[in-house]
Amino acid sequence: MSSDLSPIDKAKFISAKRAAQFVESGMKVGLGTGSTAAWLVRCLGEMVRDDGLRIKGVPTSTRTAELARQVGIEVISLDEARWLDLTIDGADEFDGDLNLIKGGGGALLQEKIVATASDQMIVISDASKEVETLGAFPLPVEVIPFGWQTTRALIEETLVSMDVLGRDTALRMNGAVPYVTDEGNHILDLHLRRIGNARQLALVLNQMPGVVENGLFIDICDRVIMGFADGRVELRDINEGTVDTERIDLTEGANIFADFTD
């Protein structure tokens, strides 16, 4: 069944399968949003069903919550959990220091809140998400709808003094209408091309009235698990300073391929 997957989906599955091995019964686990995180939720659901894994999941979006319930994971709120053992999520980009750009799926606010309320954060990814310098992927910034055009103008003015290559901004759309997050906000995508000082930019953006949160995750990720289509998986631990390579059997996840659509 796994032979029907594209190489990139195989890589995503490999990273998700390996990350699921860090989850133990009794844990409270943050469940990310996006195509790679969806593989993780399916893997955990298989472990709940077949291996007796007992966990409580805190999803970072309504669609992740729906999927988690479908596969048998007990879903609770962050308020109920209060603190998490682990969050596993995808990323749109990551650099050598494991700093991230997230928010391509529109859930950056909940994702950042959940990740920072965890003992550790693991990012699952394929090799295409690794970059030398953040910024090729548009940086999402969540803004409140009231006065969003003024907020946009303020951001564009501020970017003039930032170490970035581009300053184009765009309101994210959902067809003919603005995209609305789970919290009822809009997203501005900043096309910066290269971010020279991500830490500074993150701080400056969040000081602006109208900005709720930005998609730069600085010093939040502890480990990146990067999958490859041939079954290899690379584990990078920023705290230990280690890089390990393993191999995962693609046939082990055959049960979750049958009805999974991405």
Side-chain angles (χ1 to χ4, degrees):
M1 188 69 67
S2 62
S3 61
D4 297 332
L5 295 175
S6 68
I8 195 165
D9 276 336
K10 287 182 182 179
K12 290 177 179 180
F13 166 71
I14 286 295
S15 62
K17 187 72 173 179
R18 181 61 182 88
Q21 296 176 16
F22 285 94
V23 179
E24 301 175 359
S25 280
M27 280 188 170
K28 291 177 286 187
V29 182
L31 305 174
T33 295
S35 60
T36 311
W39 285 110
L40 181 277
V41 174
R42 285 282 178 166
C43 287
L44 292 177
E46 183 182 46
M47 293 167 66
V48 168
R49 183 182 65 245
D50 298 341
D51 304 327
L53 180 72
R54 295 177 294 101
I55 61 171
K56 295 181 179 180
V58 175
T60 54
S61 66
T62 55
R63 58 186 181 276
T64 296
E66 291 170 0
L67 178 58
R69 292 189 180 100
Q70 288 173 13
V71 300
I73 297 173
E74 180 182 354
V75 171
I76 63 173
S77 70
L78 183 58
D79 287 334
E80 292 174 291
R82 300 188 67 179
W83 194 261
L84 305 177
D85 298 287
L86 172 66
T87 287
I88 304 175
D89 204 347
D92 298 303
E93 283 186 349
F94 69 90
D95 65 15
D97 294 322
L98 305 195
N99 293 318
L100 321 169
I101 286 182
K102 288 182 52 57
L108 67 99
L109 178 56
Q110 288 191 25
E111 288 173 336
K112 188 174 281 190
I113 292 172
V114 168
T116 54
S118 305
D119 285 339
Q120 62 171 316
M121 181 193 190
I122 295 176
V123 162
I124 49 179
S125 175
D126 60 88
S128 68
K129 305 300 175 60
E130 182 179 14
V131 296
E132 184 174 341
T133 304
L134 297 176
F137 190 91
L139 175 64
V141 178
E142 187 159 341
V143 300
I144 64 171
F146 176 80
W148 73 264
Q149 294 191 63
T150 299
T151 303
R152 178 181 182 175
L154 181 59
I155 290 173
E156 291 175 340
E157 180 181 348
T158 301
L159 288 176
V160 173
S161 61
M162 295 289 101
D163 184 8
V164 296
L165 284 183
R167 296 194 297 272
D168 293 335
T169 66
L171 178 67
R172 187 176 299 184
M173 304 296 290
N174 182 16
V177 298
Y179 178 86
V180 178
T181 69
D182 281 354
E183 291 75 34
N185 298 316
H186 295 330
I187 289 182
L188 295 173
D189 288 310
L190 314 187
H191 297 262
L192 308 178
R193 294 161 51 198
R194 184 189 65 82
I195 301 172
N197 190 332
R199 187 183 306 275
Q200 178 191 45
L201 180 60
L203 291 172
V204 169
L205 287 172
N206 279 8
Q207 290 175 347
M208 297 182 187
V211 171
V212 180
E213 189 52 82
N214 69 84
L216 287 166
F217 284 51
I218 310 298
D219 297 334
I220 296 176
C221 176
D222 298 284
R223 182 183 285 113
V224 165
I225 300 178
M226 187 163 54
F228 298 84
D230 62 0
R232 287 179 299 123
V233 60
E234 182 178 285
L235 292 81
R236 301 185 188 180
D237 189 313
I238 194 68
N239 300 313
E240 299 294 333
T242 56
V243 179
D244 299 311
T245 302
E246 301 174 3
R247 185 168 293 275
I248 300 293
D249 184 359
L250 281 167
T251 63
E252 291 180 353
N255 291 340
I256 70 170
F257 296 129
D259 59 352
F260 185 85
T261 56
D262 185 8

